[in-house]
Amino acid sequence: GVERKGSPVFGYLRISQQPIRRKMQVYEPDILMILDDSLVVLPATYEGLKEGGTIIMNTVKPLEELKIPSQAGSVAVVDATGISEKILGRNIPNTAMLGAFAKVTGLVDKEILFQEIEASFGAANREAAQMAYDQVKSVEA
């Protein structure tokens, strides 16, 4: 996109067994994936999260520093940055976060996801996704 390098970026994804006809932004998400915990100070980070929603965050910070909103039903954390630095040699937490997403939500078939990650991004990225899948922890909201 046109975002400046290093600036916050928001994206969205709709998942359904039925055809999806809506092509607009998601304003009230059921799940938030936060790849950079420094964004929790921005009001827009948690904006619109549905009551009982799920937050999956790349962090090693204690929960009290994360400003978790009261409507969050569940929170899961994983050190996707540490995993990516260990496995990939640099801070690219995306595929590790996909592994955490698969474990926390159960919305995607883990084996198919991991096969696709390996086919598209290589075996090291699959390993990062698997490690995050194994290490993600649910914490009290």
Side-chain angles (χ1 to χ4, degrees):
V2 296
E3 294 83 8
R4 162 178 69 81
K5 185 174 181 166
S7 67
V9 176
F10 298 89
Y12 64 92
L13 170 69
R14 294 179 196 277
I15 299 175
S16 177
Q17 297 291 332
Q18 306 302 319
I20 298 172
R21 307 252 184 257
R22 292 185 145 187
K23 297 190 192 269
M24 57 192 251
Q25 184 171 337
V26 175
Y27 293 101
E28 294 181 332
D30 296 298
I31 302 166
L32 290 176
M33 287 186 53
I34 302 171
L35 278 66
D36 182 348
D37 64 8
S38 70
L39 299 176
V40 299
V41 298
L42 301 176
T45 301
Y46 296 116
E47 192 172 283
L49 179 66
K50 285 185 181 174
E51 190 69 37
T54 299
I55 298 171
I56 305 168
M57 191 178 311
N58 171 21
T59 191
V60 294
K61 291 181 181 175
L63 192 61
E64 47 281 351
E65 288 183 31
L66 301 177
K67 303 180 188 260
I68 303 297
S70 60
Q71 72 266 31
S74 63
V75 179
V77 296
V78 66
D79 183 10
T81 293
I83 290 169
S84 69
E85 288 174 344
K86 178 180 179 181
I87 304 295
L88 306 173
R90 54 192 179 139
N91 183 6
I92 307 174
N94 304 39
T95 51
M97 289 296 288
L98 285 173
F101 175 84
K103 175 79 174 262
V104 171
T105 68
L107 291 173
V108 294
D109 182 290
K110 171 188 148 189
E111 290 310 315
I112 293 172
L113 174 64
F114 289 2
Q115 288 171 11
E116 292 300 319
I117 288 172
E118 184 170 0
S120 297
F121 306 111
N125 278 280
R126 180 188 179 127
E127 183 180 352
Q130 180 68 59
M131 188 175 286
Y133 183 95
D134 294 338
Q135 292 181 12
V136 67
K137 293 178 180 73
S138 293
V139 293
E140 294 286 324

